[in-house]
Amino acid sequence: MKIAVVGTGYVGLVSGACFAEMGVDVTCVDIDRKKIEGLNQGVIPIYEPGLTRIVARNSDAGRLHFTTDLPSILNQMSIVFIAVGTPSDEKGNADLSYVMKVAETIADHITQPLLIVTKSTVPVGTSHRVRDLVRRRLDERGLHELNFDVASNPEFLKEGAAINDFMSPDRVVVGVESEQAKELMTKLYRPFLLNNFRVIFMDILSSEMTKYASNAMLATRISFMNDVANLCELVGADVNMVRRGMGSDSRIGRSFLYPGCGYGGSCFPKDIRALISVAEGVGYEMKLLKAVEEVNNLQKNILFKKLTNHFSGELKGLTVAVWGLSFKPETDDVRDAPSLTLIRSLLDAGVNVRTYDPAAINETRKVLGDDVYYANDIYDAALDADALILPTEWKEFRLPNWGVLKKIMRRHVVIDGRNIYNGEELTSLGFTYYGIGQK
Ligand SMILES: NC(=O)c1ccc[n+]([C@@H]2O[C@H](COP(=O)([O-])OP(=O)(O)OC[C@H]3O[C@@H](n4cnc5c(N)ncnc54)[C@H](O)[C@@H]3O)[C@@H](O)[C@H]2O)c1
C-alpha cells in the first residue's frame, strides 16, 4: 500500500515513519523546503526520542520518502493523510487554512479514486468541508464520475513518547462513511493491533469530536488538580498526599492528576479554545471549559507569584535560574510553554534570567532571542542566582548536587513547579523551598 502524509511536523513525521516501519510505502510531504532537504539528508527537525533511528531505517529501506511536491505523487496513493497544523486564530478558532490548502491541492490534481484522511485536530464538520471542497472542484474540472472518500483519524500521540504511542496505541479512532474507507483503514492499522484490534469505527463527526473531548477531559483534570493544590496551600493540606489518596480510587485513576505550573504545548491550550469556540458557533456555552482555561492561565503565573511573594515584590536586578523550557520533558516544543510565561514576567520585572534545557534551547531562542542567558548545564544556569525555578521536570533535574548549588547560588530559594524535590530535605540543607500545593 502507498500512502502520503501531508505535513511533516510532530504528528506527520512520527505517523509516516511508524507506518513505514510496518511495511507501508510512505511519502511525507511538506511545504517547508529546508525541512524536506534536511530529512532527505537524514536531519530530523524535531527532538523526539527514537525518531532518528526509525526514520533512518525506513529511509534506507526505501519505504520512507520526503518531498515538497504533492501533485507529482498524489495519483500513486491509496490514502492521503492531512497532518498539517491547526493553530488558534486571533479569536481562538482553529485556523483551518492549512488543512483547506492541502484539500485544494488534492482537488486540483487527483485523477483517480483516493481516501483523504484528516489526522490534524479539526473542529467537527471539517472533514465534510474537505469533502465538499474536493467534490466542487472535481465537478468544475468535469470529473463528475471520479469517486473519492474522506475519513477522520485523529491522533492521540504524546510528544516525548510519540513512537511508542503510535506503535502501541490504547485505541485508534476512525470516522468513516463508506465500507471501502473502513476496509482500507482496517488494512492499514491491522499490523499495529494484530492481537487486539482496538480500532473504534464511528461516524466522522463523532470521531472529530472524540479528539477534542479527550483533550478537554485531560486538561480539566490538570486544572482541577491545580485548583485543589492552591486550596491545599491555604488550608495546610499536602496535595501530594491528596493526589495519592484520590488516584488510588479505580474510578478516578492516577494519570493527569499532577498539579504544576499549568498545561502548555501545541495541543491543550488551542484545542480547549477551539472547542469553546465551536460551541459558541452553535449557541452553546462550555462553562466548565472556560473555567479550565481560566484556572490554567492563573496557574501559569504561580511560579512568578511565589517568587514575588518571597522577595516582597523587590525583583529588579535579581538573577534567577530557570531549569526547563519545553512545555514538558522529552520534547523541544515550547509552544504555549509555562516557562515562557514565567520568563516574560521575569524580564518585565527587570530580572536577569539564566536558563537551561536539554533539548529546547534552539526553539526558545526563536521566541525569546538573546534576552536571556542560555546556559550549558544546570549549574551554569544557577551561577550567582538568587533563586532557582523549575517549570519542566526533565529527568536530569531530579537529583542535582545540592552541595554544589549551595556554593554557587547567591541566595538559596528553590521554586519547584512540578513537585519533584523533597521540601524537607532541601530545608535541612539550608534552602528555602516552595512547591505546589504544599505547606
Ligand atoms: N504535536 C502533538 O503532540 C499533536 C498530537 C495530536 C494531534 N496533533 C494535531 O496534529 C496536527 C499537526 O500538529 P503538529 O504538532 O505535527 O504540527 P507542526 O506544526 O509540528 O507541523 C505541521 C507541518 O505542516 C506543514 N504544512 C503546513 N501547510 C502545509 C501544506 N499546505 N502542505 C504541506 N505541509 C504543510 C508545516 O510546514 C509543518 O511542518 C495539529 O492539528 C495538532 O493539533 C498534534
Side-chain angles (χ1 to χ4, degrees), residues 47-280:
Y47 176 88
E48 181 61 49
L51 186 59
T52 305
R53 204 160 27 91
I54 195 170
V55 168
R57 183 163 59 232
N58 287 285
S59 301
D60 291 349
R63 283 190 300 267
L64 183 59
H65 323 273
F66 300 99
T67 183
T68 53
D69 189 0
L70 177 59
S72 73
I73 54 141
L74 191 59
N75 290 302
Q76 304 155 25
M77 302 297 151
S78 316
I79 306 176
V80 173
F81 282 90
I82 303 179
V84 295
T86 49
S88 282
D89 68 13
E90 63 288 348
K91 288 188 186 140
N93 302 309
D95 176 355
L96 293 177
S97 57
Y98 304 96
V99 170
M100 298 319 282
K101 182 82 200 125
V102 178
E104 278 171 22
T105 308
I106 294 172
D108 288 344
H109 295 91
I110 50 168
T111 53
Q112 60 162 43
L114 180 69
L115 174 59
I116 305 166
V117 183
T118 319
K119 193 165 249 321
S120 300
T121 303
V122 291
V124 179
T126 304
S127 303
H128 287 160
R129 275 182 64 189
V130 168
R131 177 195 65 195
D132 295 346
L133 181 148
V134 175
R135 184 72 271 159
R136 208 170 46 246
R137 292 270 176 123
L138 287 180
D139 288 343
E140 282 164 15
R141 291 170 60 204
L143 298 171
H144 307 290
E145 306 298 318
L146 179 53
N147 279 325
F148 69 93
D149 269 312
V150 292
S152 152
N153 174 214
E155 184 48 58
F156 296 94
L157 62 77
K158 299 181 289 299
E159 286 176 24
I163 303 287
N164 190 50
D165 285 350
F166 200 91
M167 297 303 275
S168 318
D170 287 339
R171 66 3 190 147
V172 172
V173 170
V174 181
V176 285
E177 44 193 23
S178 79
E179 268 311 307
Q180 238 173 337
K182 188 173 175 185
E183 266 170 36
L184 258 180
M185 293 301 276
T186 302
K187 193 170 162 193
L188 183 65
Y189 275 110
R190 203 177 150 272
F192 292 88
L193 303 160
L194 269 185
N195 298 327
N196 178 8
F197 191 69
R198 297 179 299 281
V199 178
I200 306 172
F201 284 104
M202 57 182 79
D203 62 278
I204 285 179
L205 301 180
S206 305
S207 164
E208 290 171 336
M209 187 68 188
T210 301
K211 172 65 191 176
Y212 276 117
S214 302
N215 275 359
M217 169 58 98
L218 297 173
T220 301
R221 284 174 72 104
I222 294 172
S223 276
F224 174 79
M225 275 321 274
N226 284 334
D227 234 5
V228 169
N230 295 338
L231 182 58
C232 281
E233 284 181 17
L234 295 173
V235 298
D238 179 344
V239 76
N240 291 323
M241 300 315 298
V242 175
R243 174 180 60 75
R244 286 175 61 190
M246 283 173 65
S248 334
D249 184 327
S250 60
R251 293 169 304 175
I252 296 173
R254 290 191 174 82
S255 46
F256 281 80
L257 285 187
Y258 289 84
C261 48
Y263 60 76
S266 65
C267 292
F268 286 2
K270 83 169 171 60
D271 292 350
I272 302 310
R273 284 194 290 270
L275 193 51
I276 291 171
S277 158
V278 163
E280 273 165 6

